[in-house]
Amino acid sequence: MSVDGTRLPVAVVAGLHADARRTTVEEILRTVPGSVALHHDLTSAVDSAVHRTVRDAGGLLGSGDAPLVNDCACCALREDMVPELRRLAEGGRHRLAVLELWDSVEPQAMAEVIAAAGAPLALTGVATAIDPALVLPYLSNGDDLADVGLAAAPSDRRTVADTFARQLEYPTVIAVVEDSSCGHGGEVADGTDDALLAQLTPGVRALRVQDGGLGAALLAGFDVVAAAARLHPACALLPQECDEHGVSTLVWRRERPFHPQRLYAALEDLTCAAARSRGRFWLAERPDTLLSWDAAGGALCVESAGPWLAALPEAAWEMVPAERRVAASLGWHHEHGDRCQYLTFTSPGLDRDGLLTLLDSCLLTDDEYAAGRDGWRQLPHAFDDLLDPVI
């Protein structure tokens, strides 16, 4: 069966919480008749191959190995999964194919590959499976994936925390599995864990696997363009102001630019102030560059995300995605346009007052602001090593 009689619905299920992910997939196979799961185990990549399995509710249907591509296990997964999914579609026996991703594989890249493949495949859902009691420990884990045996390629420099954050923030469904067997010593999620998860994932539907409904949610449809826009720094769907069960989200918005040297000096304190912080910002000496802020696990990534909309000629605006134009219009400033500071910090025990004071102290003073852009460009370029590294 397919969504329109010709295409096989495909749902992606990701998650670093391996036990929760497996429980989720087993529940889908049990409750959705005619469903089948495809999984590539990247653990065996040390033997120059990725192990593939296909199973349904009754057990294993088949297995095989996919050779590495450029010594990259994740590349092998990409090369193998679409032909395998097409083979399942051509068989005509399945109502839903579940692509169960290996631990550290992020759902965005795989969802976009499936969406681009077209018929006979139809991407209908993306979920990340989690154990809520493990959300904070994983967001706080700054270990490199390579150090814990979860790297997908020799060049993989990601950490546990930033990988987990992206797994949480991309999908439209979070599959919640509360089970003491999920590898955390019998800890049980409480109100703090639930509040943290809810604040980190605005606009995402959280479903408790044991309550049912997951299969239907993963057949509802998925828009990869909208999903990418939700993560783009210029128009990201960020957490909202909240304080519940000891977990707080601070939303900090200002119009004045940062003093680069003072902000650089405060980076360590700001990075460690919250379990997760995200957003966009601007520096006085780089007034045309939209900068992204992405921090988890005590590590911060600062990158250029291109020009601010206000720095582009109006003729170029039609080339910018509509989501970004809408986001820019909501906070348009008569002088600065869409340039702004928009950062969010989410954590249990957040020191809101201290964080506000520190952030505000990094902005230009009245005298510095009055110097205008010509004066701003003369300020120290403290971020050159981060933004313009010498290769």
Side-chain angles (χ1 to χ4, degrees):
M1 184 182 293
S2 66
V3 289
D4 60 4
T6 61
R7 296 185 297 163
L8 173 66
V10 179
V12 176
V13 176
L16 270 168
H17 300 170
D19 289 333
R21 188 189 69 239
R22 284 189 288 265
T23 298
T24 297
V25 174
E26 294 303 323
E27 181 67 10
I28 296 170
L29 295 179
R30 186 183 69 82
T31 58
V32 179
S35 58
V36 62
L38 171 64
H39 177 61
H40 292 81
D41 186 351
L42 275 58
T43 307
S44 60
V46 294
D47 299 321
S48 300
V50 170
H51 188 60
R52 174 205 324 117
T53 57
V54 179
R55 70 189 191 278
D56 64 9
L60 187 67
L61 297 177
S63 63
D65 292 321
L68 292 191
V69 177
N70 300 322
D71 286 330
C72 172
C74 207
C75 300
L77 188 165
R78 286 192 187 93
E79 291 288 323
D80 191 68
M81 71 175 182
V82 170
E84 281 297 309
L85 288 170
R86 283 181 172 151
R87 183 184 64 79
L88 292 171
E90 289 162 2
R93 299 188 304 274
H94 304 295
R95 179 184 175 189
L96 172 67
V98 179
L99 180 64
E100 181 192 348
L101 300 181
W102 187 70
D103 303 36
S104 69
V105 178
E106 296 177 23
Q108 181 171 6
M110 301 306 145
E112 291 176 349
V113 169
I114 295 167
L121 308 177
L123 178 67
T124 60
V126 178
T128 291
I130 63 102
D131 177 346
L134 294 179
V135 171
L136 183 58
Y138 274 60
L139 273 182
S140 304
N141 189 338
D143 290 344
D144 291 340
L145 292 176
D147 292 338
V148 294
L150 294 176
S155 59
D156 196 340
R157 298 292 180 266
R158 296 174 298 156
T159 68
V160 172
D162 63 45
T163 302
F164 181 62
R166 284 189 291 272
Q167 289 183 345
L168 277 180
E169 292 156 3
Y170 179 75
T172 52
V173 174
I174 296 293
V176 179
V177 179
E178 292 183 334
D179 188 337
S180 62
S181 68
C182 286
H184 48 78
E187 295 175 26
V188 177
D190 57 18
T192 297
D193 298 311
D194 292 338
L196 178 61
L197 179 62
Q199 291 179 39
L200 287 171
T201 56
V204 175
R205 185 180 179 189
L207 294 175
R208 299 189 184 277
V209 171
Q210 63 270 30
D211 293 343
L214 187 57
L218 292 177
L219 284 163
F222 188 84
D223 187 335
V224 294
V225 175
R230 288 198 307 272
L231 298 184
H232 191 284
C235 50
L237 181 62
L238 298 175
Q240 304 197 9
E241 192 82 21
C242 190
D243 189 353
E244 186 177 36
H245 291 289
V247 179
S248 296
T249 293
L250 170 68
V251 178
W252 184 76
R253 303 192 69 155
R254 299 290 188 270
E255 296 168 348
R256 189 170 292 196
F258 276 125
H259 186 287
Q261 202 167 41
R262 288 200 293 274
L263 177 61
Y264 190 85
L267 286 182
E268 183 175 355
D269 288 339
L270 291 172
T271 300
C272 296
R276 178 72 170 135
S277 54
R278 301 169 59 198
R280 55 187 178 266
F281 69 102
W282 66 308
L283 295 171
E285 93 287 10
R286 296 172 183 257
D288 293 337
T289 303
L290 189 160
L291 298 168
S292 68
W293 178 287
D294 193 298
L300 170 68
C301 178
V302 170
E303 293 181 324
S304 167
W308 292 99
L309 192 59
L312 295 173
E314 287 193 28
W317 287 15
E318 289 303 315
M319 301 172 62
V320 174
E323 293 90 350
R324 181 171 177 186
R325 297 197 302 272
V326 170
S329 68
L330 294 176
W332 195 265
H333 186 270
H334 69 280
E335 181 181 356
H336 305 313
D338 58 331
R339 299 177 182 90
C340 68
Q341 318 293 4
Y342 185 6
L343 300 177
T344 65
F345 297 80
T346 301
S347 189
L350 193 71
D351 180 5
R352 299 172 64 93
D353 292 341
L355 190 50
L356 280 169
T357 298
L358 181 58
L359 287 164
D360 287 340
S361 74
C362 296
L363 296 172
L364 295 185
T365 64
D366 290 345
D367 289 344
E368 291 165 344
Y369 183 77
R373 293 195 184 182
D374 289 341
W376 301 351
R377 293 184 190 277
Q378 305 307 311
L379 293 171
H381 287 220
F383 281 74
D384 285 358
D385 287 346
L386 288 178
L387 297 172
D388 306 310
V390 178
I391 300 177

